[in-house]
């Protein structure tokens, strides 16, 4: 039992502020803690709870200061140590977090929170087997902890064990039904399931909106924006990924090309640890707001005060979603784009941007709460990485056998994908498969992947399993070992496909039933290679075998792919942004007509 540094009972404000934090009422908790600390300035429990409240409001450095003070007052107090480690993770100070958690567990091996937090760090480092051991210990200590179940689900997802991940996310959501983020994590995971029914997935998204978003309808107020259809439009982009992240590589050319006179832009940056890319994006827009310290309600009020006409969500249900800002409808027109391959489920989200390849007309309208807006040249525009290495010739010209490859996130490589890829390897003697993914050096994950292919008659000697690399050039250089890239399904690659094409590696894709499974079709059509998209697993296999058998064609494709991509709509930021602005204008005109009708009534 830890020793308290003060005499007397624990102040009642400790339990009260802890409950407020649990409910997400961080401002009230912080105010309560500050009042109580005036009389008990050296109460470590109050300092810890104040730190939790500040962290919940995004004021991470201030929170770290409170946790440190609590630890100085009571070195054996594990709660502020765990909380400080969590803050370090958000600030990308991972080594400090790791060292702190190791010290906590050396002092108190029964801390479920420390095991849970350390497992998160190990997972992020690709040390999945070690992470699993700590999560199992955390579950033994706290079997009803929603956070532990959620982190175990995320580990299973990252390992590619998606069915288990979905089950564990459901368990976490059941344990914390009041938490929208736990339920959002489940929705994201459903996109990876190979046999998921799109109608059932849509129903789950609508269920999330009914539970968490629609009760906020009372917060919606009439918009006072000037309903002039042709005036300059104030565009707002809200994202936690305005940093070195795939979303930023697709947003960058748009921010650069926006007509600043007709479409002035405000970015709402929910980034805890800004980086060089954050700085670049900040320099491309008229107004930049750091919003990590704002609650959803405060952020909605800020957007309304800024007079945003068209507010664009770039995350959907991916990560720490801010969809409850959109549930409050702070802007007259609200749009989701780019960061999530499915509907938000929100009735207050007016539009979703896509194209006719990713969402063919008539296919998926019934799977969206939003109205689909199809851009004519593709739903995205990509910024090629600066300083990328030269492509080089196909590796098959200097070695025996074809090298297939996929550098996609492991949950996309499901059992059905493995079955199809195994057939491709069986039908191309001497070929091998290069997989590069987070956790590529973890023995447990390697053993599972090798076992799955072994059951299909493909030996481990034909698999090249690699972990992630730190440098961008080093990552791209790894494509020099791949002749043909294989796109997974039903959740295609996006950035990985663009990277492969830029490095001269042709990508084969299988067209699916939903947006997530048709991104490859969109990208290949944008660069003029629709023939690399198959309409069935059998045709996908045939395409791979045919291309593997034609080394002359492979060499020609590789020699011209980068130039093809460079002159395609995929990288034409100006034309893409003009089309996007036209879409925004059409949305705005429609709202103006509706607003005018309401005013006349």
């Amino acid at each position: 039992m830890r020793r308290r540094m003060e005499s007397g009972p624990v102040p009642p404000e400790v339990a009260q502020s802890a409950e407020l934090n649990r409910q997400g009422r961080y401002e009230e908790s912080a105010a309560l803690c500050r009042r109580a600390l005036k009389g008990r300035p050296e109460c470590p429990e109050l300092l810890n709870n104040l730190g939790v409240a500040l962290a919940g409001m995004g004021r991470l450095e201030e929170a770290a200061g409170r946790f440190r003070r609590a630890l100085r007052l009571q070195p054996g107090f594990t709660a502020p140590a765990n909380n400080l480690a969590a803050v370090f993770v958000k600030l990308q100070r991972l080594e400090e977090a790791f060292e702190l958690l190791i010290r906590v567990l050396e002092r108190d091996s029964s801390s479920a929170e420390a095991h849970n937090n350390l497992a998160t760090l190990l997972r992020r480092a690709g040390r999945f087997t070690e992470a699993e051991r700590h999560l199992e210990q955390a579950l033994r200590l706290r079997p009803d902890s929603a956070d532990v179940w959620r982190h175990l689900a995320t580990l299973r997802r990252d390992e590619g064990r998606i069915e288990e991940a979905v089950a564990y996310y459901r368990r976490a959501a059941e344990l914390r039904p009041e938490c929208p983020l736990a339920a959002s994590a489940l929705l994201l995971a459903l996109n990876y399931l190979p046999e998921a029914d799109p109608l059932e997935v849509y129903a789950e998204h609508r269920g999330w909106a009914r539970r968490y978003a629609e009760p906020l309808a009372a917060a919606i107020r009439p918009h006072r924006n000037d309903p002039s259809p042709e005036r300059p439009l104030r565009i707002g982009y809200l994202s936690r990924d305005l940093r070195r992240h795939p979303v930023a590589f697709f947003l960058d050319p748009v921010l650069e090309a926006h007509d600043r006179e007709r479409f002035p832009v405000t970015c709402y940056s929910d980034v805890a640890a800004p980086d060089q890319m954050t700085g670049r994006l900040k320099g491309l827009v008229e107004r930049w707001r750091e919003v990590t310290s704002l609650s959803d309600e405060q952020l909605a009020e800020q957007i309304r005060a800024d007079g945003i006409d068209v507010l664009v969500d770039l995350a959907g249900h991916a990560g720490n979603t801010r969809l409850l800002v959109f549930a409050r409808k702070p802007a007259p027109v609200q749009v989701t784009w780019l960061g999530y391959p499915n509907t938000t489920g929100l009735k207050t989200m007016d539009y979703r941007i896509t194209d006719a390849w990713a969402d063919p007309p008539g296919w998926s309208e019934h799977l969206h709460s939003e109205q689909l807006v199809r851009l004519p040249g593709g739903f995205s525009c990509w910024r090629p990485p600066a300083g990328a290495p030269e492509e080089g010739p196909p590796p098959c010209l200097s070695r025996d056998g074809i090298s297939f490859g996929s550098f996609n996130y492991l949950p996309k490589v499901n059992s059905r994908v493995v079955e199809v890829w195994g057939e491709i390897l069986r039908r191309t003697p001497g070929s091998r498969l290069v997989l590069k993914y987070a956790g590529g050096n973890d023995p447990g994950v390697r053993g599972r992947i090798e076992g799955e292919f072994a059951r299909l008659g493909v030996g481990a000697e034909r698999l090249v399993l690699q972990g992630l690399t730190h440098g961008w050039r080093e990552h791209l250089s790894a494509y020099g070992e791949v002749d043909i890239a294989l796109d997974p399904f039903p959740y295609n690659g996006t950035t990985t496909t663009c990277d492969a094409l830029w490095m001269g590696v042709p990508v084969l894709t299988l067209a699916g039933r939903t947006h997530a499974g048709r991104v490859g079709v969109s990208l290949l059509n944008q660069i003029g290679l629709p023939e690399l998209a198959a309409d069935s697993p059998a045709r996908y296999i045939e395409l791979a075998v045919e291309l593997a058998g034609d080394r002359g064609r492979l060499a020609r494709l590789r020699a011209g792919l980068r130039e093809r991509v460079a002159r395609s709509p995929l990288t034409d930021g100006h034309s893409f942004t003009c089309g996007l602005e036209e879409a925004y204008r059409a949305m705005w005109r429609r709202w103006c007509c509706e607003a005018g009708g309401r005013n006349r009534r």
Side-chain angles (χ1 to χ4, degrees):
M1 187 170 180
R2 68 175 185 270
R3 179 174 62 89
R4 283 189 49 76
M5 299 301 291
E6 294 187 357
S7 60
V10 175
E13 291 88 351
V14 170
Q16 294 165 8
S17 58
E19 177 60 22
L20 289 171
N21 283 335
R22 193 188 70 80
Q23 296 175 19
R25 297 160 62 183
Y26 299 119
E27 288 188 345
E28 295 174 61
S29 175
L32 178 62
C33 288
R34 287 193 174 100
R35 288 195 301 271
L37 281 165
K38 289 179 181 178
R40 302 287 295 273
E42 294 192 346
C43 176
E45 288 90 350
L46 284 171
L47 287 164
N48 176 66
N49 289 358
L50 177 56
V52 171
L54 291 168
M57 293 187 285
R59 296 157 63 175
L60 300 180
E61 293 292 354
E62 291 181 67
R66 300 313 191 280
F67 296 139
R68 287 193 184 95
R69 180 160 174 73
L71 285 171
R72 284 196 296 270
L73 291 166
Q74 196 165 336
F77 191 5
T78 59
N82 279 307
N83 292 329
L84 180 57
V87 165
F88 283 156
V89 170
K90 291 180 180 178
L91 292 171
Q92 298 298 308
R93 292 157 60 177
L94 304 184
E95 286 299 324
E96 292 176 81
F98 188 86
E99 292 170 4
L100 180 58
L101 290 168
I102 291 296
R103 291 200 300 271
V104 170
L105 287 172
E106 287 173 349
R107 184 182 296 117
D108 180 8
S109 62
S110 66
S111 172
E113 291 81 7
H115 284 290
N116 190 27
N117 291 337
L118 183 57
T120 298
L121 284 175
L122 291 167
R123 175 183 61 80
R124 291 178 60 160
R127 295 159 63 178
F128 293 162
T129 301
E130 294 175 72
E132 182 173 10
R133 287 199 294 268
H134 284 281
L135 284 172
E136 288 174 346
Q137 180 63 15
L139 270 182
R140 282 192 286 270
L141 294 164
R142 300 242 342 245
D144 291 330
S145 168
D147 283 342
V148 176
W149 280 104
R150 180 168 57 86
H151 288 158
L152 181 58
T154 302
L155 175 65
R156 290 290 183 257
R157 184 193 71 192
D158 288 359
E159 290 175 322
R161 297 160 65 174
I162 195 64
E163 288 83 3
E164 289 179 67
V166 167
Y168 295 159
Y169 278 129
R170 288 197 190 281
R171 176 63 176 151
E174 289 167 359
L175 288 167
R176 285 194 67 188
E178 77 284 1
C179 180
L181 296 182
S184 275
L186 168 62
L187 297 181
L188 173 61
L190 293 176
N191 291 286
Y192 296 100
L193 284 174
E195 305 301 331
D197 182 334
L199 277 172
E200 292 179 3
V201 174
Y202 171 66
E204 296 256 16
H205 283 75
R206 283 292 300 130
W208 186 96
R210 280 191 294 270
R211 166 169 278 186
Y212 302 107
E214 289 172 17
L216 298 172
I220 300 174
R221 306 195 306 273
H223 297 99
R224 303 304 180 190
N225 304 55
D226 173 12
S228 300
E230 305 307 320
R231 68 167 175 81
L233 289 184
R234 291 179 292 269
I235 310 299
Y237 291 102
L238 170 56
S239 178
R240 62 182 176 82
D241 295 323
L242 303 179
R243 55 191 172 89
R244 191 167 185 81
H245 183 276
V247 165
F249 292 113
F250 288 90
L251 183 64
D252 182 336
V254 173
L255 295 184
E256 186 175 67
H258 259 312
D259 184 332
R260 296 189 176 200
E261 295 297 320
R262 297 176 59 241
F263 297 89
V265 169
T266 300
C267 279
Y268 297 92
S269 175
D270 201 18
V271 178
D275 57 18
Q276 187 175 7
M277 175 59 83
T278 307
R280 169 176 166 75
L281 298 177
K282 186 175 181 179
L284 295 176
V285 300
E286 287 68 34
R287 184 165 54 189
W288 185 274
R289 295 202 183 279
E290 305 283 352
V291 301
T292 55
S293 65
L294 300 183
S295 67
D296 289 340
E297 183 178 5
Q298 291 171 325
L299 178 50
E301 287 303 313
Q302 181 65 70
I303 292 166
R304 182 178 286 273
D306 288 338
I308 297 300
D309 300 309
V310 179
L311 180 63
V312 185
D313 158 58
L314 299 174
H317 288 281
N320 294 322
T321 178
R322 284 285 203 153
L323 285 178
L324 296 187
V325 172
F326 291 82
R328 292 170 165 86
K329 200 71 188 292
V333 176
Q334 300 193 151
V335 185
T336 187
W337 173 52
L338 199 59
Y340 185 67
N342 212 323
T343 182
T344 63
L346 271 65
K347 291 184 176 180
T348 53
M349 194 71 76
D350 303 296
Y351 301 99
R352 182 169 180 275
I353 292 173
T354 183
D355 62 45
W357 297 301
D359 286 282
W363 275 41
S364 56
E365 282 82 354
H366 63 296
L367 302 176
H368 290 84
S369 59
E370 309 87 0
Q371 180 177 336
L372 297 181
V373 173
R374 296 177 175 86
L375 299 185
F379 75 91
S380 61
C381 180
W382 179 65
R383 169 82 70 194
E390 294 300 316
E391 306 94 295
C396 64
L397 298 183
S398 58
R399 72 155 64 94
D400 292 333
I402 290 288
S403 294
F404 297 100
S406 175
F407 294 179
N408 280 276
Y409 185 36
L410 197 55
K412 297 181 179 183
V413 186
N414 57 66
S415 58
R416 180 63 176 135
V417 169
V418 170
E419 180 182 329
V420 170
W421 288 358
E423 179 63 18
I424 289 171
L425 291 171
R426 286 198 300 271
R427 291 178 56 179
T428 50
S431 64
R432 64 178 192 162
L433 176 63
V434 182
L435 297 179
K436 187 169 182 286
Y437 55 91
N441 297 318
D442 183 87
V445 178
R446 292 174 67 91
R448 182 180 63 79
I449 293 173
E450 290 172 352
E452 288 189 19
F453 278 97
R455 285 190 289 274
L456 299 170
V458 176
E461 73 280 359
R462 299 182 66 182
L463 303 176
V464 181
L465 307 181
Q466 302 176 357
L468 297 183
T469 48
H470 295 293
W472 194 246
R473 282 184 59 87
E474 185 180 354
H475 170 71
L476 292 175
S477 295
Y479 282 102
E481 298 299 313
V482 178
D483 293 296
I484 302 168
L486 300 175
D487 199 13
F489 52 89
Y491 198 147
N492 297 164
T494 305
T495 305
T496 48
T497 296
C498 293
D499 286 345
L501 295 170
W502 191 250
M503 293 306 299
V505 181
V507 180
L508 304 182
T509 194
L510 172 60
R513 298 182 293 166
T514 63
H515 180 98
R518 298 186 61 84
V519 170
V521 175
S522 175
L523 296 173
L524 290 173
N525 273 275
Q526 288 181 65
I527 68 166
L529 288 175
E531 64 271 20
L532 298 184
D535 59 4
S536 69
R539 182 55 185 154
Y540 182 82
I541 294 167
E542 289 172 2
L543 281 175
V545 174
E546 290 170 5
L547 191 54
D550 192 342
R551 299 192 179 191
R553 186 185 177 198
L554 275 175
R556 291 191 297 274
L557 276 172
R558 199 174 190 104
L561 256 182
R562 182 172 293 187
E563 181 183 357
R564 177 187 285 272
V565 172
R567 54 183 170 82
S568 74
L570 180 60
T571 57
D572 185 350
H574 176 75
S575 296
F576 176 85
T577 306
C578 286
L580 184 64
E581 290 173 344
E582 288 177 11
Y584 290 158
R585 179 65 66 182
M587 298 171 193
W588 179 249
R589 288 175 182 143
R590 189 173 297 117
W591 181 82
C592 289
C593 288
E594 295 169 355
R598 285 193 297 270
N599 291 338
R600 285 192 295 273
R601 289 194 296 270

